[in-house]
Amino acid sequence: MNFSSKLITDAVDAFSQLPGIGKKSALRMVLHLLKQEENMVSQFTNSIQDMRMNIKFCNECFNVSDHDLCGICVQSSRRASSICLVESIREVIAIESTQQYNGLYHVLGGLISPLDGIGPSDLRINELVKRVEENDTQELIVALSPTLEGDTTTYYISKQIDPTIKITTLSRGVAFGGELEYADEMTLAKSLENRVPITQVVKNDD
Amino acid sequence: MLSKLFLYHFKNYTEASFDFSQPICCFYGPNGAGKTNILDAIYYLSFTKSYFSSFDHQVIQKDQKGMYTKGIFDKTQIDCIIRENGKKEVSANGKQYERYANHIGKYPAVIIAPDDIDLINGYSDTRRRFIDILLCQLKPTYLSHLVDYNKYLAQRNALLKSSKSKAIDSVVHNHYKTELCRLGTLIYQERKEIIEELTPLAQKFYSQIANNKEKISISYKSQLSEGAMHDLLDQVQEKDFATMRTNVGIHKDDLQFEINSYQAKNHSSQGQKKSFLFAIKFAEFALLKKDLGNSPILLLDDIFEKLDVERSQHLVNLITELDTQVFITDTHKGRLTNAFEGHNNVQFESIK
């Protein structure tokens, strides 16, 4: 695309670097900003800049934070004896939105994948081992993706953690709202293998 | 049985329709008339993709933007449409499939074309792919084992390559080794069993085509037949670290084809190789027919290529005994009508 202004071109290029944004969407955003008051645009750019410059990572769990400890780690109502291991901040948000978990997190920062040049030392595994040892951790919930890389990482971590500590993983099986007919064989086989007592599914009235 | 075929903007056809009333249909006509394209259209209706073109846009007639093929299988109408925006739609009796995978296998087909001779002349990956495609259709879990094996293999090789710059983590490495052994052994067993099933069938078909003159053998060559994969990996560990890749495993498997104990690839004539190809593909057809309970359509492109008169006649006799729908192409009408003389369930279609 050719614009009469180099300034517009630069702005469009900048926006189109964002994930999921093509040249056309980028142009729409730039033209929208052009219509705004100047101070509105300053506020907009400042908030982006502030976010990047001032963001911190929690000293304990490596979640994003405004302070040395994140909002989850400082909450005294949280059960400190339980740590949920996740790949990235995205999973923290996903699990938090279930409102079912009341323990702490540990953000690993990736999964072991030599193809992508990521080995155990590139992840926050030593920090996790130390944290589990130093705190009175009773349960480690490994909530990593059920992929080959996730499984490798889960296996690796299970070998690093003190064997007296209870380690669990998320259950695997047929998805909610999914139809059995369309579940792939592997998922269905896993669900059969790890079937659950009916009382967990059907609530008894009496 | 496919009773009707309609093509619109498919390859060289602007618009054409065919009615099939007989189980065997022969297309004849000059070079470039579009005989093979008809077979490809039938293949497309079966597999929702072309056998000869790797990209969907290549099946659309030159200077056109979309295509439509329709086939009536028994009482079901199958439509394959590529819209002008490149979107593909496959539907049965007007109901569109959400996933092509739900369609594939309902109207199976086996195609044999001149280029398939690569199975005998080509590299080992062609032969592994042949076995893999067959097993994927027969065993539902095979594909996921194979995909996982290849992913672990890629990860282990990447890990071995990273040893240049840093020490290899033994826990991660052991995990990859354990998984490769588990999956590799499963795949080895599946391949071994299917080849044991395939071989006697192929031998029977070859004898029929060659009139018992020669005896063929198919043997499965795998390092895993020499020992457990775990031991083999331990033996080559040093070599693996030096070469920075995995030197043993089912990714090195091959099939050895022999005619009268001579390797077919190097010691056989063109006609013998072609007979071998037919024998293997017919064996594949027989296995699929047994397993699917739905006889695959046979698509034989340039059927008499490289075969002598005698073998051609045996081949035709064999085809008429297979009890399935067959589509055949050849350039000479006379050759076809002679070969099928005495059979009345054959129809001949001229393609110009």
Side-chain angles (χ1 to χ4, degrees):
Chain A
M1 265 183 267
N2 248 329
F3 310 114
S4 53
S5 150
K6 171 133 191 329
L7 294 168
I8 297 277
T9 311
D10 289 349
V12 167
D13 283 346
F15 271 107
S16 61
Q17 282 170 23
L18 298 174
I21 305 294
K23 284 261 157 123
K24 269 192 176 163
S25 306
L27 180 63
R28 233 175 76 208
M29 293 173 184
V30 170
L31 294 179
H32 175 78
L33 289 176
L34 200 58
K35 277 194 281 182
Q36 304 287 311
E37 297 284 337
E38 277 176 24
N39 63 335
M40 286 288 287
V41 178
S42 299
Q43 256 179 39
F44 180 77
T45 53
N46 283 341
S47 64
I48 294 172
Q49 198 164 4
D50 280 352
M51 182 273 291
R52 188 64 194 93
M53 295 301 167
N54 299 327
I55 200 91
K56 283 185 181 156
F57 290 93
C58 174
N59 287 344
E60 276 290 315
C61 73
F62 303 97
N63 190 7
V64 282
S65 173
D66 297 345
H67 309 285
D68 287 345
L69 280 181
C70 74
I72 293 170
C73 286
V74 292
Q75 275 177 37
S76 54
S77 60
R78 291 246 170 193
R79 266 191 308 136
S81 59
S82 167
I83 294 180
C84 180
L85 180 68
V86 292
E87 182 187 340
S88 71
I89 296 146
R90 274 205 304 259
E91 284 77 28
V92 175
I93 298 165
I95 294 175
E96 275 302 285
S97 62
T98 67
Q99 301 189 340
Q100 291 293 310
Y101 180 65
N102 194 30
L104 302 178
Y105 291 92
H106 189 89
V107 179
L108 205 53
L111 297 174
I112 297 173
S113 172
L115 270 180
D116 301 299
I118 303 173
S121 58
D122 300 307
L123 305 173
R124 298 181 193 112
I125 293 175
N126 290 338
E127 290 88 338
L128 174 71
V129 174
K130 215 173 123 211
R131 222 179 132 192
V132 169
E133 272 168 15
E134 287 174 0
N135 298 300
D136 184 28
T137 304
Q138 316 236 308
E139 183 177 3
L140 177 67
I141 304 167
V142 181
L144 301 176
S145 305
T147 59
L148 190 144
E149 288 78 18
D151 287 349
T152 303
T153 314
T154 304
Y155 174 82
Y156 182 85
I157 283 163
S158 72
K159 293 282 160 194
Q160 310 297 315
I161 300 286
D162 177 359
T164 59
I165 287 165
K166 183 179 170 194
I167 306 181
T168 56
T169 64
L170 296 184
S171 64
R172 295 175 183 188
V174 181
F176 264 107
E179 284 183 47
L180 280 195
E181 191 190 344
Y182 295 114
D184 65 292
E185 279 93 1
M186 219 165 88
T187 309
L188 210 48
K190 273 276 169 216
S191 305
L192 263 178
E193 202 181 307
N194 309 325
R195 53 196 189 280
V196 295
I198 196 153
T199 44
Q200 287 189 23
V201 185
V202 185
K203 284 260 159 29
N204 251 337
D205 291 333
D206 38 54
Chain B
M1 177 171 157
L2 177 66
S3 57
K4 246 182 197 322
L5 177 72
F6 174 78
L7 311 175
Y8 182 71
H9 289 173
F10 184 90
K11 294 206 163 174
N12 69 324
Y13 291 94
T14 305
E15 196 176 334
S17 72
F18 303 91
D19 289 295
F20 307 118
S21 52
Q22 299 296 339
I24 298 174
C25 178
C26 300
F27 299 103
Y28 61 90
N31 292 143
K35 301 182 292 295
T36 304
N37 291 345
I38 299 173
L39 300 191
D40 204 18
I42 298 169
Y43 187 92
Y44 202 104
L45 288 168
S46 173
F47 290 91
T48 72
K49 63 181 184 197
S50 160
Y51 184 71
F52 298 95
S53 319
S54 351
F55 300 103
D56 259 337
H57 64 84
Q58 289 169 339
V59 303
I60 299 168
Q61 192 178 24
K62 195 169 178 288
D63 299 328
Q64 299 297 335
K65 289 204 174 80
M67 73 91 186
Y68 172 43
T69 52
K70 174 173 90 178
I72 310 243
F73 293 86
D74 303 317
K75 283 184 177 118
T76 313
Q77 178 178 328
I78 303 296
D79 296 308
C80 289
I81 301 168
I82 299 178
R83 299 263 175 216
E84 298 207 334
N85 57 11
K87 284 244 168 66
K88 184 154 81 178
E89 290 171 14
V90 181
S91 45
N93 280 342
K95 191 173 182 297
Q96 207 174 321
Y97 284 101
E98 282 176 34
R99 286 166 31 161
Y100 304 141
N102 296 338
H103 171 70
I104 298 166
K106 280 197 179 157
Y107 306 97
V110 170
I111 189 164
I112 309 174
D115 283 349
D116 291 333
I117 202 73
D118 264 3
L119 187 63
I120 290 158
N121 286 336
Y123 295 109
S124 62
D125 61 325
T126 321
R127 289 180 283 280
R128 281 195 299 276
R129 193 162 61 237
F130 167 74
I131 289 296
D132 289 342
I133 292 171
L134 177 59
L135 274 168
C136 285
Q137 294 175 82
L138 298 176
K139 313 260 171 171
T141 51
Y142 184 80
L143 180 65
S144 73
H145 290 157
L146 189 67
V147 168
D148 283 353
Y149 179 91
N150 286 327
K151 282 189 196 162
Y152 276 116
L153 184 67
Q155 288 288 15
R156 180 175 189 249
N157 288 345
L159 185 70
L160 291 170
K161 284 201 180 71
S162 74
S163 69
K164 267 193 295 193
S165 50
K166 56 185 175 196
I168 284 182
D169 189 287
S170 65
V171 175
V172 175
H173 181 226
N174 277 336
H175 177 68
Y176 288 159
K177 253 172 74 176
T178 312
E179 288 300 307
L180 279 177
C181 294
R182 179 178 70 84
L183 296 162
T185 311
L186 286 171
I187 294 165
Y188 169 73
Q189 283 300 340
E190 299 270 31
R191 286 183 179 172
K192 194 167 166 243
E193 277 168 29
I194 201 72
I195 292 158
E196 277 166 8
E197 247 186 288
L198 188 83
T199 307
L201 291 168
Q203 282 171 331
K204 187 191 84 184
F205 288 124
Y206 191 92
S207 299
Q208 275 180 277
I209 297 168
N211 202 16
N212 297 318
K213 275 186 193 135
E214 296 140 3
K215 192 166 166 44
I216 61 160
S217 71
I218 299 174
S219 36
Y220 178 34
K221 296 284 167 198
S222 176
Q223 293 159 322
L224 268 70
S225 59
E226 290 151 27
M229 184 158 169
H230 212 277
D231 299 335
L232 297 170
L233 272 175
D234 283 342
Q235 282 165 29
V236 297
Q237 182 129 323
E238 248 173 69
K239 192 181 170 193
D240 280 359
F241 276 86
T243 54
M244 294 186 284
R245 62 192 156 79
T246 306
N247 287 287
V248 293
I250 51 107
H251 57 288
K252 301 273 181 187
D253 283 0
D254 199 358
L255 293 177
Q256 190 171 302
F257 300 139
E258 286 179 341
I259 301 178
N260 286 343
S261 308
Y262 285 100
Q263 215 190 337
K265 187 175 180 173
N266 301 323
H267 296 95
S268 299
S269 76
Q270 300 287 336
Q272 285 174 313
K273 287 180 188 174
K274 185 79 194 222
S275 312
F276 210 128
L277 174 68
F278 273 117
I280 299 169
K281 288 281 201 165
F282 284 157
E284 178 191 14
F285 162 83
L287 283 179
L288 287 173
K289 182 175 177 177
K290 194 182 90 187
D291 191 78
L292 300 170
N294 199 353
S295 188
I297 295 175
L298 263 182
L299 306 168
L300 308 176
D301 188 25
D302 207 351
I303 178 171
F304 300 131
E305 183 223 31
K306 290 170 182 167
L307 293 183
D308 61 32
V309 180
E310 204 187 325
R311 286 194 185 208
S312 301
Q313 189 59 54
H314 291 310
L315 176 66
V316 165
N317 296 344
L318 174 57
I319 290 164
T320 56
E321 288 163 15
L322 283 176
D323 187 28
T324 194
Q325 193 173 20
V326 190
F327 292 92
I328 293 167
T329 71
D330 189 44
T331 45
H332 296 54
K333 187 189 182 186
R335 205 155 53 174
L336 285 165
T337 47
N338 283 341
F340 282 101
E341 213 182 307
H343 295 283
N344 49 13
N345 54 355
V346 187
Q347 91 185 68
F348 297 91
E349 292 283 332
S350 164
I351 308 294
K352 293 189 193 92

